[in-house]
Amino acid sequence: TFDLNPMMNRYCKIDGILTVVDSVHFLTQLRRERPDGAVNEPAQQVAFADKVLLNKVDAVDCCKISETLAAIRSINSMVPIKKCSIGKRPNELPLDELIAIDSFDATRLLTQEAGGSLLPQKKQEKSPDEATSSCDNSGCKKKNCNDPDCEDKAAQQATSTSTCGNSKCKKKDCSDPDCKTAPQLEKHTDIGTMLLEMEDAPLDGQRFTAFLQKIMQERSIDLYRYKGILAVRQKGLIIRYVLQGVHDVSELTFSSEWPAERPVKSQVVIIG
């Protein structure tokens, strides 16, 4: 709709898609029974997101926050997540974290690719000698960590007297139905993130275009987001292209000749 409006295209651009997730109700809505063929709206909105605001974190316990985070990650493993309480502490959510996302900017995608993968990588932890964590988790290696989800699993298992079956729970005789380890979310939604890679050789441009057109014709409704960096052989050279798309609307943008110092690797991330 945005792309079809000339006036909007002339003066505006899509910076990114923000999705607000309600920590209290998200899991219930995600698992709600639906008729065959019905859209799972919460899963779909997370799949489209460039950034997720996990709201009302002050209204739930850490177990439910962890479970909600796992559910979001199972749908969209790329999306940054910001915990917040917009109603009570809006000042803790700076504007610069809501704007200038540049999710449709080819330069930003190239920057991600320069790190080796379009999917986020776990940061390498510091050695125990370098750790100066201030949280209660003796195994934490983050400096000045105050993350409420940062917990020592071994210590919890040793001290827990809960009867609810959740090894993280410290309550005695807990019978809270929401106090449980994260379930297998595949039974609630079939939306997920897939990374396709081809290394050490460039793509055949015609064959890749035929492949992309085929899946857009057959499954465009299921392609919520897709983006990639392609190494394509063209007239004896290896050319770098940037791919971005939503459903059956895709854009393939020329970037440059493939950098001689970088290994040849094509990557496409599909959320759907």
Side-chain angles (χ1 to χ4, degrees):
T1 302
F2 186 94
D3 288 333
L4 298 177
N5 189 314
M7 186 66 69
M8 294 289 286
N9 265 327
R10 183 176 180 180
Y11 295 104
C12 306
K13 72 169 186 177
I14 299 178
D15 180 59
I17 300 171
L18 283 171
T19 297
V20 179
V21 170
D22 187 322
S23 298
V24 178
H25 300 109
F26 177 74
L27 293 175
T28 301
Q29 292 298 321
L30 186 69
R31 299 166 181 159
R32 180 171 57 84
E33 291 292 332
R34 292 173 173 82
D36 291 342
V39 174
N40 189 325
E41 298 90 348
Q44 187 181 64
Q45 290 174 25
V46 168
F48 278 122
D50 294 303
K51 178 171 284 189
V52 165
L53 302 181
L54 184 57
N55 194 27
K56 301 182 183 177
V57 293
D58 57 326
V60 295
D61 60 25
C62 62
C63 294
K64 192 159 188 177
I65 290 176
S66 297
E67 191 176 353
T68 304
L69 287 170
I72 294 170
R73 288 281 175 230
S74 75
I75 298 167
N76 187 341
S77 62
M78 297 180 63
V79 67
I81 302 172
K82 173 69 175 179
K83 299 176 186 176
C84 57
S85 296
I86 298 173
K88 294 184 178 180
R89 300 192 299 274
N91 58 309
E92 295 181 5
L93 194 62
L95 271 180
D96 59 3
E97 295 196 19
L98 304 181
I99 59 177
I101 298 174
D102 290 328
S103 60
F104 294 90
D105 187 346
T107 303
R108 181 176 180 272
L109 199 58
L110 289 170
T111 302
Q112 288 179 270
E113 184 267 345
S117 176
L118 296 183
L119 290 179
Q121 303 296 304
K122 292 183 178 180
K123 295 182 180 179
Q124 185 175 5
E125 295 180 338
K126 297 181 181 179
S127 66
D129 294 336
E130 299 175 306
T132 55
S133 171
S134 61
C135 64
D136 293 331
N137 180 2
S138 59
C140 180
K141 299 176 177 61
K142 299 178 183 177
K143 185 176 182 179
N144 299 324
C145 176
N146 59 2
D147 186 346
D149 296 330
C150 188
E151 302 166 320
D152 189 337
K153 294 181 179 179
Q156 288 168 354
Q157 291 174 350
T159 59
S160 176
T161 57
S162 170
T163 60
C164 62
N166 180 5
S167 59
K168 291 186 176 183
C169 182
K170 297 179 180 179
K171 300 176 184 177
K172 187 176 181 180
D173 300 326
C174 176
S175 58
D176 185 347
D178 291 329
C179 190
K180 51 193 173 185
T181 54
Q184 296 297 317
L185 294 166
E186 289 77 10
K187 65 180 67 174
H188 304 295
T189 173
D190 57 0
I191 299 174
T193 304
M194 175 187 296
L195 174 65
L196 306 177
E197 289 186 326
M198 179 173 172
E199 297 184 87
D200 302 325
L203 293 170
D204 181 308
Q206 291 184 336
R207 294 182 65 182
F208 178 81
T209 300
F211 161 75
L212 184 61
Q213 290 177 343
K214 181 177 176 63
I215 62 173
M216 285 196 300
Q217 289 171 359
E218 296 180 355
R219 304 296 297 272
S220 65
I221 193 66
D222 298 323
L223 297 175
Y224 294 121
R225 298 289 296 274
Y226 48 98
K227 57 180 68 177
I229 303 293
L230 310 178
V232 180
R233 183 173 298 282
Q234 189 173 324
K235 296 182 180 179
L237 301 174
I238 300 178
I239 305 299
R240 182 161 61 176
Y241 284 92
V242 177
L243 170 69
Q244 298 194 78
V246 177
H247 291 313
D248 59 351
V249 179
S250 66
E251 180 180 34
L252 192 61
T253 307
F254 169 83
S255 172
S256 64
E257 188 174 342
W258 194 269
E261 70 278 6
R262 294 191 60 79
V264 175
K265 180 167 72 170
S266 297
Q267 299 181 80
V268 178
V269 176
I270 300 174
I271 302 174

